[in-house]
Every structure is written in structure tokens, then in C-alpha cells.
Amino acid sequence: GENVEQHPSTLSVQEGDSAVIKCTYSDSASNYFPWYKQELGKRPQLIIDIRSNVGEKKDQRIAVTLNKTAKHFSLHITETQPEDSAVYFCASDYGGSQGNLIFGKGTKLSVKP
Amino acid sequence: EPEVTQTPSHQVTQMGQEVILRCVPISNHLYFYWYRQILGQKVEFLVSFYNNEISEKSEIFDDQFSVERPDGSNFTLKIRSTKLEDSAMYFCASIPPLLDTQYFGPGTRLTVL
């Protein structure tokens, strides 16, 4: 079945540095790749998403890149701040439009002041 | 801004008891989902629901689970005979028409003793 691999599982950076989280997926039919941020005990919050017809998308300090040929996508956070500390999950849709989301195992990002 | 809501926020039950978790999706959304997240692990898909029937379900969603949309607003997940391993955070999500962005509710923490 569909699988999403996410690396690293933990990431510690100094405030102001960049953070990169990488994911790979297996289903060629996947078209939608969201990233969620989850703070302890809270719901996953969508921070950015990308669709298969786009190679890169940016929203202020956050960017996502997608390589459909290689089936991998990455989250880039620049100028990290302590409030960026959370668990980040990548996901891909399974079965195309309105398909369920398959999540990666998460990356715990710690930003040290 | 409208949000997905869930009740209760925390449910404690004895093994073997039935529980019903409730969700109110955003009013014009058409696709509904249940996910679970065991503590410290990734979010896992359980079931999707569209047009008053199940669209897809995962291996986790066995005969002990059922979903219902009893009226125009509520979307429920029932676990007939809870097991210890059902202890997890259960998230409801929904998607607006013509889009694929999933909006998550705040979750219900289920504790089975």
C-alpha cells in the first residue's frame, strides 16, 4: 500500500538557522502533498501544501518543493524562531482527489534560542 | 473562521464498553474523515465518508468501528467494544467542495482502562 517516509525524526537548530524536512511517497497517483504542524496536545494545522502541477511553493518563511519524478517533497523553514518548535508531518493523498491522507511519522523540530 | 468541532475532548471508558465520538464538520463540506493518533506516533487514516456512505476504510477500521451522519451536521464514530489499544487521539477532518485541503478538528482523547 501507499507509504510516506519522513526524515529526520528529530531536528534541532539554532534560532535563525534553516530547517529542512524531507519526505518520499510511493503512490504515483498522489497529487496533493500537505504539511501539518502539530503542537503538543493540539490538532494538526495545515501550514502549506503543494499540488503535483507545481514544483515549488513559498509562503513567507516556509517553502515546499516537489519532485514528482523522484517522488519526494521537502519542507524548508528559513529564519527559524522558537515558536516554530513542534512536530511536523508530511502527507500525501491516496487515490487521487479527496483521497485519504497518508502521513509520515513526523519530525520533532526544536529551535533553540 | 469556521472550524471543525469535536466532543468530548476527553473520554475515559472501561474495556468492552461502547463509545461514540462526535464531530461537527464545517457546514458546506462534503467529505468527512476519521483519523487516529496513538500517543507519540503518526496520524493514521481510519475511514472516509461521502454522500452518506463510506468511501474508503483502512485495515484499522474493523467490525468494531462504525460511522454515521445521523443528521445534517453531526458525524459520529462508534467503537462497539473498546480495547486497551483503542486508546488514542481521534481526529475528525473535512474537505470543502472542489478542494482537497483537509481541516482537522481538535480531537477527542480516548482512554480505555
Side-chain angles (χ1 to χ4, degrees), chain A residues 40-54:
Chain A
L40 192 62
K42 302 273 184 75
R43 76 183 84 192
Q45 293 269 17
L46 179 74
I47 56 170
I48 196 167
D49 56 15
I50 192 167
R51 291 169 179 81
S52 58
N53 57 344
V54 174

Side-chain angles (χ1 to χ4, degrees), chain A residues 3-4 32 36 38 41-46 49 51 89 94-95 97-106, chain B residues 3-4 31 33 35 37 41-45 56 89 91 95-96 98-106 109:
Chain A
N3 190 38
V4 175
Y32 176 63
Y36 286 86
Q38 187 178 35
K42 302 273 184 75
R43 76 183 84 192
Q45 293 269 17
L46 179 74
D49 56 15
R51 291 169 179 81
F89 291 96
Y94 178 64
S97 182
Q98 278 82 44
N100 66 70
L101 292 179
I102 304 298
F103 283 80
K105 289 188 176 180
Chain B
E3 287 189 329
V4 178
Y31 288 82
Y33 304 81
Y35 292 85
Q37 186 178 32
Q41 298 187 24
K42 68 177 178 179
V43 178
E44 298 175 291
F45 168 74
E56 292 178 66
M89 194 76 149
F91 292 104
I95 285 182
L98 304 178
L99 294 177
D100 42 23
T101 302
Q102 294 197 19
Y103 294 87
F104 281 76
R109 180 168 298 285

Side-chain angles (χ1 to χ4, degrees), chain B residues 53-72:
Chain B
E53 59 183 27
I54 291 174
S55 303
E56 292 178 66
K57 57 184 180 179
S58 71
E59 293 173 352
I60 303 167
F61 194 87
D62 61 21
D63 292 344
Q64 292 301 311
F65 291 88
S66 62
V67 288
E68 216 178 25
R69 189 159 160 81
D71 53 43

Side-chain angles (χ1 to χ4, degrees), chain A residues 42-87:
Chain A
K42 302 273 184 75
R43 76 183 84 192
Q45 293 269 17
L46 179 74
I47 56 170
I48 196 167
D49 56 15
I50 192 167
R51 291 169 179 81
S52 58
N53 57 344
V54 174
E56 184 173 356
K57 184 177 177 181
K58 192 172 181 182
D59 182 4
Q60 299 182 347
R61 296 187 296 108
I62 296 172
V64 58
T65 59
L66 170 65
N67 183 329
K68 272 220 90 175
T69 304
K71 293 185 191 161
H72 64 71
F73 57 113
S74 301
L75 177 72
H76 304 252
I77 307 174
T78 57
E79 300 170 34
T80 53
Q81 299 163 5
E83 49 266 40
D84 293 331
S85 297
V87 178

Side-chain angles (χ1 to χ4, degrees), chain B residues 18 29 39 45 70 76 106:
Chain B
E18 173 183 288
H29 288 195
L39 187 63
F45 168 74
T76 62

